[in-house]
Amino acid sequence: MDDMSGPHLIRGSVALPEAELAWRFSRSSGPGGQHVNTSDSQVELRFDLANTEALPEVWKQRALERLADRLVDGVISVRASEHRSQWRNREAAAVRLAALLAEATAPPPRPRRPTRIPRGINERRLREKKQRSETKRGRSGKDWG
């Protein structure tokens, strides 16, 4: 396999497993002139999420749940055809897959703990409110002129 720009990290030290990636090349629509009709520059990258050993089990379960609507038999596929060269499309597809998996395997956000407002602050607010309403009540212009 030709050397690509190093492993694509998903998160931490976990990278896309080169050996488990299935590449498919086909003719791309889009820019490229006469050459484009003869070269297979569109790239489809498939990764068997359901049967991979490369991801920690927790991540795998998370990703399978979150990407459920994008999976076909546990396989996720990513396409890239925006560049004219196949190599750059392969890069784009790999980066996209890594980003997708990074997002899908991220731990769920921590639940929000509601903060309590200190009593003093609340009381001060109510005091100021009362004062403000007094001020405004005193403005009703009956006694004027």
Side-chain angles (χ1 to χ4, degrees):
M1 182 121 185
D2 55 318
D3 187 43
M4 291 176 79
S5 69
H8 290 278
L9 288 181
I10 298 175
R11 221 173 51 249
S13 58
V14 182
L16 283 181
E18 246 357 287
E20 294 182 30
L21 301 179
W23 298 92
R24 228 174 65 210
F25 308 103
S26 52
R27 291 183 189 166
S28 177
S29 64
Q34 292 117 326
H35 170 74
V36 81
N37 304 325
T38 56
S39 66
D40 291 345
S41 63
Q42 173 170 294
V43 170
E44 188 184 355
L45 173 57
R46 297 161 68 84
F47 175 59
D48 190 346
L49 189 57
N51 299 316
T52 184
E53 297 292 309
L55 298 180
E57 196 54 41
V58 199
W59 286 23
K60 197 159 105 174
Q61 290 315 317
R62 244 182 246 152
L64 285 170
E65 272 169 41
R66 291 191 189 159
L67 299 173
D69 49 348
R70 284 197 57 165
L71 296 173
V72 182
D73 298 331
V75 175
I76 183 111
S77 69
V78 177
R79 258 203 202 110
S81 61
E82 61 268 23
H83 300 294
R84 287 179 58 168
S85 87
Q86 185 193 97
W87 188 83
R88 283 173 66 192
N89 277 332
R90 287 168 71 158
E91 275 298 289
V95 167
R96 214 168 285 166
L97 181 64
L100 195 69
L101 288 174
E103 205 174 306
T105 58
R110 298 186 38 191
R112 181 183 173 281
R113 303 237 321 265
T115 50
R116 284 204 42 195
I117 300 169
R119 216 171 91 211
I121 289 179
N122 218 5
E123 283 171 1
R124 191 180 74 202
R125 182 180 63 87
L126 293 174
R127 250 202 327 278
E128 285 170 3
K129 230 169 117 128
K130 209 167 269 160
Q131 220 170 354
R132 167 77 56 210
S133 82
E134 288 298 314
T135 307
K136 289 188 170 186
R137 268 234 319 274
R139 284 185 192 154
S140 66
K142 289 191 199 103
D143 324 327
W144 285 69

